[in-house]
Amino acid sequence: MSTFQTLPGFRDFYPEDFARRHHVFRLWRQSASAFGFSEYDAPVLESLELYKAKSGDEIEAQLFSFTDKGGRDVALRPEMTPTVCRMVGARANALKRPIRWFSIAEFYRYERMQKGRGRCFSQLNADIFGEPGPEAEIELIALLVQCLCAFGLREEDFFVRLSDRNLWYYYLEALGLDESRTRAVLAAIDKYEKSGDAAFDGYAEKFGPLEAGLKEKILGFLQIKSLPAIEHAVAALGVDRLAARLADWRKLIDGLGAMGLSRFVEVDLGVVRGLAYYTGFVFEAFDRKGELRALAGGGRYDDLVAKLGGPALPAVGFAIGDMTFSLLLEQRGLMPTLVFAPDVYCVIGGVPERQAAFGDIHALRAGGFRVDYPLKEVAFGKQFKTAAESGAKLALIYGSDELARGVVKVRDLEQRTEMDVPRADLIATVRDFFSAG
Ligand code: HAM
């Protein structure tokens, strides 16, 4: 056993793991491209200041941060949102709107380790800038659903919980809470599912215990699970802003319905999201069985670009993490077993045959075929065995007899048929074989 191991919460990607991750990234990338998103990237190391007081206390406490040799306070990125706001903000006037960007990248958080959570993980981030209305949320929730369905997951496997911080703000204001109390209540709601009543301890420390009648109303609102129930609760209050917000809700729910996605989306005011910058609709994806931590999370953050020095620019987005997502695919048997088979395996006689084979091997590889052969001279029989075990579709046989006749024996390893092909026609024959499927 090696003396050195990965740091706790970090992962090595051996070829089988890498292939699985590649499969996930490939389908995410394909989905984001189909929705018209453009890919970007950025440095993993950022100024610490970018996250201070912007991402929220929880993420700030989990930062991998240090002072670099130039005396700068820096941090490994724990998320992409502040970075993408910085990038878009710097070029906001030159970019055609709506700006639809995505990235697939690695992030670092010093988290307590648990199933589906590590200290280094990947996310697909997708964000839309410049669109204030719920049309952007429709696009993003549709993309989120597609990023899961692309792997064969269905409505019985996962769902998206949809909520609204605006609604909460307006509701708590109508109940008479000021801004700082509202923030403390939202922090409690974020923890309520996990911690129950203890979630309100933080509020009580700052402001004293919540008055019983008020708490009851808040817990009632938190349990709302449908648009008609929101409409009912809001109608009773008679607050104009709340009523106006319902028009956005209707647009969003109808748009998702028209895309055929209602079965994936559930209204759930118990979700408020822990990150500090969210301003409007927020959403999270979970497995239906409730066995895993969140698969994805996102929402609207209309103030963050301006807070980071850019112009006022509405924004909404989400991120899916690779860890819980891969666990879910494996649980459902949807993570394919990926094989590293060559297309062609060459069985080669002696030294002169090897000389002849090398030219063809290089030409085939340059033509995009995966070609393998024994690096050292090996007995013919053993080579046939390796060819059969390799998973290759074709074996090319370079024996002394074939060489003398100017041909290569091409064996179809599945059909167990073979034919002699003149050397000059070999590349075309292999190409025809694979393009015929
Ligand atoms: P988040 O909820 O912190 O949101 O993370 C999104 C997803 O990343 C989570 O649902 C989870 O799958 C994954 N994730 C987060 N932390 C870990 C971890 N320690 N280990 C494994 N997976 C993890 C954000 O990051 C927002 N920036 C998303 C966003 C984009 N909002 C707007 N645009």
Side-chain angles (χ1 to χ4, degrees):
M1 203 172 88
S2 156
T3 323
F4 294 108
Q5 292 172 4
T6 55
L7 293 168
F10 285 71
R11 293 172 291 170
D12 287 326
F13 288 88
Y14 282 83
E16 315 79 80
D17 311 316
F18 191 92
R20 278 193 282 269
R21 190 177 72 170
H22 180 73
H23 171 69
V24 169
F25 289 1
R26 190 173 60 81
L27 293 190
W28 281 353
R29 191 167 269 125
Q30 218 172 60
S31 305
S33 301
F35 278 68
F37 283 64
S38 307
E39 190 163 3
Y40 67 95
D41 200 2
V44 290
L45 201 61
E46 288 273 17
S47 147
L48 177 63
E49 202 52 37
L50 191 62
Y51 308 109
K52 285 229 149 169
K54 274 116 193 169
S55 296
D57 298 345
E58 194 177 334
I59 283 204
E60 210 184 309
Q62 295 170 342
L63 284 175
F64 277 88
S65 57
F66 59 95
T67 307
D68 76 4
K69 291 193 171 84
R72 296 172 204 89
D73 289 329
V74 294
L76 287 174
R77 61 184 175 198
E79 59 159 337
M80 196 55 117
T81 314
T83 298
V84 72
C85 285
R86 172 173 63 69
M87 289 171 70
V88 168
R91 297 207 183 157
N93 296 329
L95 295 167
K96 234 170 80 197
R97 297 184 194 181
I99 301 155
R100 283 176 294 193
W101 283 14
F102 83 97
S103 73
I104 296 175
E106 201 162 60
F107 299 92
Y108 306 85
R109 297 185 194 176
Y110 201 89
E111 280 230 33
R112 201 165 47 83
M113 253 122 47
Q114 44 196 311
K115 200 169 157 202
R117 286 286 179 273
R119 291 181 177 165
C120 172
F121 55 95
S122 297
Q123 285 182 343
L124 163 87
N125 274 260
D127 295 87
I128 297 182
F129 295 86
E131 174 50 62
E135 291 78 5
E137 276 87 342
I138 296 171
E139 281 291 276
L140 284 159
I141 293 172
L143 172 56
L144 170 55
V145 169
Q146 183 51 33
C147 281
L148 287 111
C149 288
F151 295 80
L153 290 167
R154 294 184 305 182
E155 70 255 40
E156 53 267 37
D157 299 310
F158 77 94
F159 70 118
V160 178
R161 299 164 79 190
L162 176 64
S163 181
D164 181 3
R165 281 175 77 101
N166 271 353
L167 206 60
W168 269 108
Y169 267 106
Y170 303 159
Y171 182 70
L172 295 174
E173 191 183 72
L175 295 183
L177 296 185
D178 61 14
E179 164 90 24
S180 54
R181 280 167 207 266
T182 295
R183 284 197 169 272
V185 167
L186 290 182
I189 293 166
D190 185 42
K191 296 195 186 80
Y192 189 75
E193 202 170 41
K194 213 159 78 188
S195 316
D197 256 4
F200 286 93
D201 289 354
Y203 180 95
E205 270 169 36
K206 264 196 187 154
F207 304 106
L210 252 184
E211 184 204 313
L214 207 55
K215 190 164 170 188
E216 200 179 306
K217 282 189 178 137
I218 289 169
L219 293 181
F221 206 60
L222 181 153
Q223 265 136 33
I224 286 182
K225 294 242 159 39
S226 71
L227 185 50
I230 297 178
E231 285 166 342
H232 184 259
V234 163
L237 286 164
V239 176
D240 287 349
R241 273 209 300 185
L242 273 170
R245 185 63 175 156
L246 289 180
D248 289 337
W249 265 93
R250 188 45 70 204
K251 228 187 224 173
L252 177 52
I253 296 289
D254 288 352
L256 291 169
M259 285 202 180
L261 304 177
S262 304
R263 61 191 195 278
F264 293 102
V265 181
E266 288 184 9
V267 173
D268 186 342
L269 295 191
V271 171
V272 290
R273 304 274 295 139
L275 292 158
Y277 45 67
Y278 291 115
T279 53
F281 286 113
V282 285
F283 47 94
E284 281 183 338
F286 285 89
D287 68 299
R288 281 271 185 204
K289 288 191 182 154
E291 288 170 353
L292 303 169
R293 303 223 17 200
L295 294 159
R300 182 165 282 279
Y301 50 100
D302 284 346
D303 305 332
L304 192 58
V305 178
K307 266 193 191 148
L308 294 171
L313 192 63
V316 50
F318 72 84
I320 318 183
D322 69 324
M323 292 182 70
T324 359
F325 184 67
S326 301
L327 279 174
L328 181 63
L329 289 185
E330 264 149 35
Q331 276 187 3
R332 299 291 188 280
L334 292 171
M335 186 68 98
T337 321
L338 300 145
V339 282
F340 304 93
D343 298 316
V344 172
Y345 193 91
C346 296
V347 174
I348 306 169
V351 175
E353 293 83 3
R354 190 166 271 265
Q355 292 294 319
F358 270 22
D360 295 343
I361 289 170
H362 191 75
L364 283 167
R365 286 171 168 172
F369 297 103
R370 281 199 277 176
V371 183
D372 204 357
Y373 68 95
L375 290 182
K376 298 258 170 55
E377 272 183 53
V378 180
F380 241 45
K382 208 164 169 197
Q383 290 189 53
F384 280 117
K385 194 162 168 261
T386 311
E389 286 168 0
S390 73
K393 296 262 185 313
L394 287 183
L396 305 186
I397 301 151
Y398 291 83
S400 54
D401 172 51
E402 284 81 15
L403 196 62
R405 290 190 290 122
V407 299
V408 178
K409 204 178 278 305
V410 177
R411 181 177 292 179
D412 182 330
L413 289 166
E414 273 170 13
Q415 302 297 323
R416 295 167 178 276
T417 56
E418 58 182 31
M419 60 176 174
D420 287 340
V421 174
R423 296 251 338 261
D425 300 340
L426 179 68
I427 310 286
T429 305
V430 171
R431 184 164 292 129
D432 288 350
F433 174 86
F434 281 101
S435 55

